[in-house]
């Protein structure tokens, strides 16, 4: 699917930023902000989706209680994704850089989003209740005249 779509992943969720106090309050507490900072650093350092998506997928697969404030989890996901954890951790631990990334991700988050994940495909809000993200991407791609082996299989399974 990497060949047919561009992912703009914004690890910010429903956080609230206070520019004067230079603080971010995350919906699920400090541990969510801790994790968001790691993901923001990975995307900043490795902006190619082929590089950052395996890391994001690895983090998503770890149960929340084990991932949210442990460097070890992020290190393991970095290593399994062939990313340099030391460089990522240096970014995460740099208060100024981490703040700048929080501000950037705050600005990238749509003001009118009501839930996460907030997914937009070709400027249309994706209804994730269908649980068929691949089918939705492939339908949009096909509507523009595109074709790929991954989509052929996904779209044929929809018509069964």
């Amino acid at each position: 699917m990497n060949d047919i779509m561009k992912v703009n992943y914004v690890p910010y969720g429903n956080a609230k930023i206070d520019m004067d106090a230079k603080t971010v309050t995350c919906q699920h507490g400090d541990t969510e902000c801790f994790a968001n900072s790691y993901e923001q650093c990975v995307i900043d350092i490795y902006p190619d989706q082929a590089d950052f998506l395996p890391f994001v997928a690895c983090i998503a697969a770890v149960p929340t209680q084990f991932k949210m404030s442990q460097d070890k989890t992020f290190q393991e996901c970095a290593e399994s994704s062939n990313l340099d954890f030391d460089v990522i951790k240096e970014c995460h631990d740099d208060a100024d850089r981490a703040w700048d990334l929080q501000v950037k991700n705050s600005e990238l988050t749509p003001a009118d989003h009501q839930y996460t994940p907030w997914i937009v495909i070709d400027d249309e809000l994706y209804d994730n209740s269908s649980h068929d993200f691949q089918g939705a991407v492939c339908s949009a791609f096909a509507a523009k005249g595109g074709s790929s082996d991954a989509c052929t299989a996904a779209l044929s399974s929809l018509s069964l």
Side-chain angles (χ1 to χ4, degrees):
M1 298 290 294
N2 278 335
D3 294 340
I4 67 163
M5 67 179 194
K6 179 180 183 282
V7 174
N8 184 16
Y9 180 77
V10 181
Y12 191 75
N14 292 322
K16 303 293 181 214
I17 195 163
D18 182 331
M19 297 297 284
D20 295 327
K22 283 193 159 187
T23 59
V24 177
T25 304
C26 290
Q27 178 181 9
H28 302 290
D30 291 341
T31 55
E32 180 183 14
C33 286
F34 182 87
N36 285 349
S37 179
Y38 262 112
E39 289 184 338
Q40 292 165 2
C41 283
V42 166
I43 293 167
D44 189 57
I45 296 164
Y46 301 100
D48 187 319
Q49 69 189 29
D51 294 327
F52 74 74
L53 282 176
F55 178 87
V56 169
C58 178
I59 293 299
V62 177
T64 302
Q65 67 269 26
F66 296 114
K67 71 178 165 192
M68 291 304 206
S69 62
Q70 300 177 24
D71 287 333
K72 181 181 179 200
T73 299
F74 298 96
Q75 180 176 5
E76 290 171 355
C77 285
E79 290 170 356
S80 72
S81 303
N82 297 313
L83 306 179
D84 185 338
F85 178 72
D86 292 334
V87 173
I88 297 164
K89 182 165 177 33
E90 182 179 311
C91 169
H92 178 268
D93 292 348
D94 179 332
D96 291 332
R97 187 172 181 189
W99 171 253
D100 289 345
L101 291 172
Q102 289 285 5
V103 170
K104 175 184 174 181
N105 281 270
S106 168
E107 292 169 351
L108 291 171
T109 301
D112 61 344
H113 85 279
Q114 298 175 15
Y115 51 83
T116 61
W118 184 262
I119 301 171
V120 177
I121 301 172
D122 281 345
D123 298 323
E124 296 289 324
L125 183 62
Y126 166 66
D127 176 9
N128 61 359
S129 66
S130 72
H131 303 292
D132 185 22
F133 177 71
Q134 185 176 10
V137 169
C138 288
S139 293
F141 186 61
K144 290 186 173 199
S147 67
S148 78
D149 291 342
C151 283
T152 300
L155 294 174
S156 67
S157 70
L158 289 176
S159 60
L160 296 177

